[in-house]
Amino acid sequence: MSDVAPARTDLSTRLARLALYRWWRRAIVGRVDHEAVVARITEESGWSPRFAFMTMMSAGIAVLGLLLSSPAVVIGAMLISPLMNPILGFGFSLALFDFRELRRSLKALAIGAVAAVAFTALIVLVSPLQAPTAEIVARTRPNLFDLAVALFAALAGTFAIIRGRGDTIVGVAIATALMPPLAVVGYGIATRNVPVGAGAFALFVTNFITIALSATLMARFYGFGHHLSRRQSWTQTLLLILVFVVMAIPLGISLNRIGREAVAVSQARTLLTDKFGEEARVTQLDLDFAADPLIVRAVVIAPRGAMQKTPALQSALSQRLGRQVRLDLDQILLEPGAGALEAQREELRQASDFAKLEAQHGADLARLVALITGVPADDVTIDRDHHRVIASATPLPGATLDTYRMLETRAEAQAEGWSVSVVPPQSSLPVIVFADNVDTLDQAANAAVATSIWAAKRWNMTALSVPGLPAGSTPERPNLSQRRAIAIASLLRTANINPLPLPAAGQRFALTPGTGSIQ
């Protein structure tokens, strides 16, 4: 009798599984026209001129919405985005092990992504608005919530495609997870902001992989790929689990860091409010977590009797946050009896005074740079958001590149927190002179190379030709000219300038652009 009971239990389990399998085949898989769904996805997942054009237009609208910090415009861009089709094609091709369709979908996605990034970078380059907005910053730090958004959007999108219900609307949700990050990548390239571009690209890759693999999961659930062998099915399952775990770990760490930063901001605000009292108002609070020690900048409007000593507050913040803190505190003190209206007026006055001071300082700096570079003040570009002044200098009689570099250094010394960029006119690079039978650079030669690097960066050049530099691998026994060229190339690479080989011509070699020479 003891052997009969386990046998009956095992038989019941098998019958239950068989019944569940039959229900799944009849109620889930049996209601799907697999051939029609695959045909539709295959038809729409490839590249076409229309796909590239619509992707570029969607990216253009998205980047304008990001620059304007307008969520409505960003969402509007998603309505015309066709990115859902090749990604779902990629996911279904994984479910079916159809590598031909997989390559076709990847090609369409790669073309669309490159076109979107290039088009958005072009728009940002010609746009007068280039300051990072909240919408842009929000897409530079991927975390676990971003993965969840992409996952839910993909599950809904795949369901809509398979069941033929509301796929257009759900495509908007999928595009929302993909197009804004691509637009921010273009923004990062145009503004040369590597952290922003890299963070947005990481978000795009995370969302793309999540959506594609979620589509694979839903496709298998609805019976696509049922002809696959047991080995292929297990390979798919292990691949899905592994990829999601690998992505979830760093994204979870990022989410935890963001959460801790939010808690720190809340703790700092609470401490300041408690110290200054209920009648005080913390109008501005910014924590720079990348700095060491942590920098806390705050503006507090409070009654005069509630004035606090900054060192004591700094010590309290260090104790509360558990790390060293440097507090930059501005206290705006009101007379006794001043109400909310007076506090608001004082806050507006302080903001207005600060804006006037910033504008005045920028105008004074523009006049100084205009005087140095010999151009009208209206031709000087002032970027107040980044505290940067840029001007293209006019040719000055007898001036060399060293002259313009020295003028830039003097202007920046008077800028007080602003950076100054003087773009010199195109001219010859300085001569780099070596002593006889010497392959090392002395102080004068180093200065000449430094000036060449400075000029190349002001002219937005990423490479300089070095005469005598060996093409390909370095010879085992380079001659004197080659050793000199290698020494110069090493300095260029350190400054992120790519050295290019240029055949030697006698004893004097052209160092492009210009007619600078190595002797």
Side-chain angles (χ1 to χ4, degrees):
M1 291 294 292
S2 60
D3 295 334
V4 174
R8 288 180 178 176
T9 302
D10 185 57
L11 179 61
S12 300
T13 302
R14 291 183 179 181
L15 290 175
R17 289 178 179 174
L18 182 61
L20 181 62
Y21 176 77
R22 287 177 176 174
W23 172 86
W24 172 72
R25 294 289 301 177
R26 182 181 68 255
I28 304 298
V29 178
R31 295 183 179 183
V32 177
D33 188 346
H34 294 77
E35 293 183 2
V37 173
V38 172
R40 180 182 177 188
I41 291 177
T42 302
E43 179 184 0
E44 298 178 352
S45 62
W47 176 86
S48 67
R50 176 187 175 276
F51 170 80
F53 177 78
M54 294 300 289
T55 301
M56 291 171 63
M57 295 304 100
S58 174
I61 298 173
V63 76
L64 291 176
L66 293 171
L67 291 173
L68 294 170
S69 195
S70 172
V73 177
V74 176
I75 294 173
M78 305 305 101
L79 294 172
I80 61 174
S81 173
L83 285 180
M84 177 181 75
N85 298 324
I87 293 183
L88 291 185
F90 179 85
F92 273 76
S93 65
L94 282 178
L96 299 170
F97 270 50
D98 184 352
F99 296 105
R100 181 167 175 251
E101 174 62 22
L102 185 145
R103 289 192 296 269
R104 182 169 170 268
S105 300
L106 273 181
K107 177 183 176 182
L109 183 65
I111 292 175
V114 171
V117 169
F119 191 59
T120 53
L122 179 62
I123 291 176
V124 174
L125 282 174
V126 301
S127 170
L129 300 176
Q130 293 188 355
T133 62
E135 290 290 324
I136 292 175
V137 174
R139 290 167 174 88
T140 59
R141 300 179 67 184
N143 57 68
L144 201 58
F145 283 173
D146 295 308
L147 186 145
V149 170
L151 174 65
F152 297 152
L155 294 178
T158 310
F159 174 82
I161 286 289
I162 293 174
R163 302 306 297 269
R165 299 173 182 175
D167 53 308
T168 301
I169 298 300
V170 180
V172 175
I174 291 180
T176 302
L178 294 172
M179 187 56 73
L182 273 182
V184 176
V185 172
Y187 169 86
I189 293 175
T191 58
R192 300 182 182 181
N193 194 326
V194 176
V196 168
F201 182 73
L203 177 60
F204 170 75
V205 172
T206 298
N207 289 347
F208 158 65
I209 295 176
T210 302
I211 293 171
L213 296 187
S214 300
T216 301
L217 184 65
M218 286 290 285
R220 290 308 307 269
F221 177 74
Y222 277 95
F224 293 86
H226 61 276
H227 61 279
L228 298 181
S229 66
R230 181 185 296 272
R231 180 178 180 181
Q232 290 173 324
S233 297
W234 274 108
T235 300
Q236 280 185 343
T237 303
L238 293 176
L239 176 66
L240 289 171
I241 295 174
L242 178 64
V243 171
F244 276 117
V245 170
V246 169
M247 290 194 304
I249 292 175
L251 293 177
I253 294 173
S254 176
L255 178 62
N256 180 56
R257 182 174 64 251
I258 293 173
R260 285 189 282 106
E261 291 178 1
V263 170
V265 172
S266 176
Q267 289 177 334
R269 184 178 294 275
T270 301
L271 185 141
L272 291 175
T273 302
D274 292 342
K275 293 292 184 180
F276 282 94
E278 295 181 357
E279 297 182 2
R281 182 190 305 172
V282 181
T283 59
Q284 295 181 31
L285 180 61
D286 177 52
L287 277 69
D288 186 357
F289 293 96
D292 188 21
L294 172 67
I295 297 177
V296 178
R297 302 182 183 91
V299 177
V300 180
I301 299 177
R304 185 169 297 277
M307 184 179 67
Q308 299 289 324
K309 294 182 178 180
T310 300
L313 287 176
Q314 179 172 290
S315 176
L317 279 172
S318 298
Q319 218 170 21
R320 177 70 63 88
L321 300 180
R323 58 181 292 186
Q324 289 296 317
V325 170
R326 192 185 81 194
L327 177 61
D328 293 339
L329 177 64
D330 289 332
Q331 301 184 51
I332 302 174
L333 304 176
L334 302 178
E335 296 301 327
L341 182 58
E342 287 77 6
Q344 188 173 12
R345 285 175 177 171
E346 181 65 22
E347 183 179 354
L348 292 173
R349 187 184 67 80
Q350 291 286 336
S352 176
D353 290 346
F354 179 76
K356 289 178 181 178
L357 287 173
E358 283 283 292
Q360 184 62 39
H361 184 60
D364 293 342
L365 189 56
R367 283 192 291 270
L368 172 64
V369 174
L371 181 64
I372 288 175
T373 56
V375 299
D378 292 340
D379 292 344
V380 177
T381 302
I382 304 175
D383 184 356
R384 291 189 173 86
D385 292 323
H386 298 88
H387 283 199
R388 183 171 54 190
V389 177
I390 306 171
S392 297
T394 58
L396 302 175
T400 64
L401 289 177
D402 284 318
T403 306
Y404 295 107
R405 187 182 177 197
M406 180 185 63
L407 291 174
E408 180 187 275
T409 303
R410 289 182 178 178
E412 195 159 34
Q414 303 178 47
E416 297 180 4
W418 289 60
S419 64
V420 177
S421 294
V422 173
V423 181
Q426 292 283 339
S427 61
S428 301
L429 293 176
V431 175
I432 303 172
V433 180
F434 286 84
D436 292 339
N437 299 320
V438 174
D439 58 4
T440 57
L441 288 84
D442 57 16
Q443 185 176 357
N446 271 300
V449 174
T451 299
S452 299
I453 292 171
W454 171 83
K457 290 187 174 181
R458 294 300 177 270
W459 294 331
N460 291 324
M461 301 186 67
T462 58
L464 284 178
S465 295
V466 181
L469 182 67
S473 59
T474 305
E476 292 184 6
R477 295 183 177 180
N479 57 36
L480 180 61
S481 297
Q482 290 174 333
R483 292 199 302 272
R484 291 175 173 179
I486 291 170
I488 296 174
S490 176
L491 293 178
L492 294 180
R493 291 192 186 95
T494 303
N496 294 322
I497 299 292
N498 185 27
L500 302 178
L502 185 69
Q507 296 301 317
R508 298 179 64 84
F509 309 113
L511 180 60
T512 59
T515 58
S517 62
I518 300 176
Q519 299 180 351

